[in-house]
């Protein structure tokens, strides 16, 4: 039986990945900072089906001990300080967890068993102010935040261990991906949640930043499938994981409100307060390599994703009222 160790299992991607791997008959172990807190955070059905072990992103000795004990065949490193508005908070903590911790995991694997395969959740934030569009595995990195810089360090460490120690380590360069499990601080979920509140008469207005900001948004369930595929190959490599489509915040609003029979222009206000500085050039990826080598492509399109999130928020709010 294959054994997967997942850091960040309580997050959006962690839950989808755990469900995917359980469906493939893996033994799934979540490596978490607090077992009790993590169990309470997980969806109930998932909490009953996964094992949890305590794991400290700042302690290589603890990582080594856990890896020795659970003997994973695959490790998925999804734990990280969030992007979005959190990208500039606590830069030293971000450097440690999103960057240096990846080197600690690589060292722990090297010491325990170099046959263990590692997938690192990298980010399109490594491109920052992108120098070309679409962004590919070959695009020059140009991070504009401690978050992006830490991910660049992690990716470089992955490449070094792959080359120097012949380890199976790979980075998934993930563009934005969303789902009903996305945190409420992210613009996608903020829109679908507030649209559902307005529909139910619980809210009247939604203030947003730049409505013309564009992103390449996909569905989290599709992206964790790409990460799994990366570890099933005969050799490790890094892949951009994205939809290749760019949509504006305005389109997102339009689809979310239209799904509820509403016109977003009656409710959405463009304000300065949530404006994100350093808005980069067109951020859109090319997943041509993932398509060619992994046979991966996203199954859920943008409009379906938005509808799925709105429906889930309606259901959630309905259950609360
Ligand atoms: P998420 O929902 O914010 O989940 C983050 C996870 O990281 C949680 O399980 C959290 O655990 C854990 N974590 C945060 N700080 C930690 C710390 N100091 N020590 C240990 N664990 C910590 O993130 P996600 O959307 O699933 O993203 C998964 C990975 O993909 C991340 O590495 C992220 O950077 C990367 N990524 C995501 C996107 C995206 O659009 N979603 C795009 C590019 C890259 P707690 O429950 O203990 O807080």
């Amino acid at each position: 039986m294959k054994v997967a160790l997942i850091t960040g299992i309580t997050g959006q991607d962690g839950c989808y990945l755990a469900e995917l791997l359980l469906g493939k008959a893996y033994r799934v172990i979540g490596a978490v900072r607090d077992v009790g807190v993590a169990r309470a955070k997980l969806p109930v059905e998932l909490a009953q089906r996964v094992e949890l072990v305590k794991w400290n992103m700042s302690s290589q000795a603890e990582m080594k001990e856990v890896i020795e004990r659970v003997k994973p065949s695959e490790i998925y490193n999804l734990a990280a300080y969030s992007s979005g508005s959190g990208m500039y908070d606590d830069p030293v903590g971000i450097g440690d967890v999103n960057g240096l911790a990846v080197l600690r995991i690589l060292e722990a694997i090297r010491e325990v068993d170099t046959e263990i395969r590692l997938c690192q959740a990298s980010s399109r934030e490594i491109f920052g102010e992108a120098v070309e569009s679409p962004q590919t595995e070959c695009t020059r990195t140009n991070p504009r935040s401690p978050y992006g810089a830490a991910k660049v360090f992690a990716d470089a460490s992955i490449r070094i261990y792959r080359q120097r120690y012949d380890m199976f380590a790979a980075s998934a360069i993930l563009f934005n991906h969303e789902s009903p499990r996305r945190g409420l601080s992210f613009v996608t979920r903020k829109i679908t949640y507030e649209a559902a509140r307005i529909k139910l008469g619980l809210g009247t207005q939604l203030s947003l930043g730049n409505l013309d900001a564009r992103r390449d948004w996909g569905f989290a369930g599709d992206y964790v499938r790409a990460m799994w595929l990366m570890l099933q190959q005969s050799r490790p490599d890094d892949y951009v994981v994205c939809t290749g489509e760019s949509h504006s915040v305005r389109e997102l609003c339009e689809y979310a409100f239209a799904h509820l029979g509403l016109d977003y222009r009656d409710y959405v206000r463009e304000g300065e307060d949530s404006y994100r500085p350093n808005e980069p050039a067109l951020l859109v990826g090319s997943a041509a390599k993932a398509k060619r080598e992994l046979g991966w492509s996203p199954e859920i399109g943008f409009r379906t994703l938005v509808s799925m999130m709105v429906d889930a928020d309606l259901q959630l709010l309905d259950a609360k009222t």
Side-chain angles (χ1 to χ4, degrees):
M1 177 190 268
K2 278 191 176 177
V3 180
L5 186 72
I6 305 176
T7 74
I9 196 168
T10 54
Q12 170 185 255
D13 293 7
C15 290
Y16 282 107
L17 180 63
E19 286 168 355
L20 177 83
L21 299 181
L22 286 168
K24 294 183 182 299
Y26 277 63
R27 177 179 164 211
V28 175
I29 303 165
V32 297
R33 31 185 168 179
D34 184 308
V35 170
V37 172
R39 201 166 288 286
K41 257 191 186 181
L42 285 170
V44 180
E45 327 78 66
L46 201 55
Q48 289 165 349
R49 299 183 65 200
V50 299
E51 296 164 51
L52 297 176
V53 290
K54 191 174 169 319
W55 165 278
N56 181 350
M57 295 295 278
S58 300
S59 167
Q60 194 186 318
E62 204 171 296
M63 289 172 172
K64 187 179 168 197
E65 186 276 319
V66 169
I67 293 172
E68 252 163 359
R69 184 154 44 89
V70 308
K71 299 185 173 38
S73 21
E74 296 170 7
I75 298 179
Y76 296 85
N77 182 43
L78 309 182
Y81 273 72
S82 276
S83 56
S85 55
M87 285 193 303
Y88 301 85
D89 302 340
D90 189 9
V92 176
I94 290 174
D96 192 53
V97 173
N98 295 15
L100 200 52
V102 179
L103 190 55
R104 293 190 186 104
I105 296 173
L106 286 161
E107 266 297 281
I109 293 175
R110 188 179 68 81
E111 285 176 17
V112 175
D113 178 2
T114 53
E115 291 302 305
I116 297 169
R117 297 183 169 204
L118 172 66
C119 182
Q120 158 64 9
S122 181
S123 166
R124 63 100 175 146
E125 288 296 332
I126 62 171
F127 302 124
E129 302 272 3
V131 295
E132 63 180 7
S133 191
Q135 291 96 56
T136 72
E137 295 78 5
C138 300
T139 299
R140 182 164 64 77
T141 59
N142 186 27
R144 66 196 161 125
S145 64
Y147 175 97
K151 293 282 187 186
V152 170
F153 175 82
D155 289 350
S157 304
I158 292 276
R159 273 194 304 277
I160 290 164
Y161 276 65
R162 194 159 68 211
Q163 284 157 10
R164 186 167 174 86
Y165 302 111
D166 205 19
M167 280 168 46
F168 199 113
S171 288
I173 306 165
L174 306 167
F175 279 58
N176 295 56
H177 48 281
E178 319 295 316
S179 76
R181 290 172 173 157
R182 188 62 143 154
L184 281 165
S185 61
F186 290 87
V187 71
T188 46
R189 181 75 198 289
K190 188 173 172 181
I191 292 168
T192 61
Y193 188 77
E194 288 305 321
R197 285 189 74 235
I198 289 168
K199 177 70 180 175
L200 294 172
L202 302 171
T204 53
Q205 205 172 297
L206 168 59
S207 268
L208 293 170
N210 179 7
L211 293 185
D212 295 316
R214 302 185 73 84
R215 292 287 180 277
D216 180 334
W217 278 298
F219 170 54
D222 281 332
Y223 288 36
V224 301
R225 182 165 45 84
M227 288 192 250
W228 173 74
L229 280 169
M230 285 171 57
L231 294 197
Q232 312 315 308
Q233 304 307 303
S234 52
R235 59 176 196 89
D237 208 345
D238 305 328
Y239 294 89
V240 164
V241 182
C242 64
T243 69
E245 283 179 24
S246 148
H247 295 274
S248 67
V249 174
R250 190 182 305 280
E251 277 173 83
L252 212 166
C253 291
E254 190 187 324
Y255 294 161
F257 282 80
H259 187 64
L260 297 166
L262 304 173
D263 185 334
Y264 82 97
R265 289 170 296 188
D266 296 334
Y267 307 98
V268 175
R269 299 283 165 268
E270 193 169 17
E272 285 298 305
D273 50 337
S274 45
Y275 187 79
R276 288 173 59 159
N278 305 329
E279 197 65 16
L282 189 62
L283 281 171
V284 66
S286 165
K289 182 177 168 187
K291 190 170 189 183
R292 196 174 58 244
E293 296 184 9
L294 306 176
W296 179 87
S297 54
E299 287 173 1
I300 302 289
F302 181 66
R303 208 164 180 151
T304 309
L305 171 64
V306 175
S307 303
M308 180 200 288
M309 292 174 69
V310 170
D311 287 340
D313 280 327
L314 259 187
Q315 217 178 345
L316 181 77
L317 287 161
D318 244 348
K320 273 192 195 165
T321 51

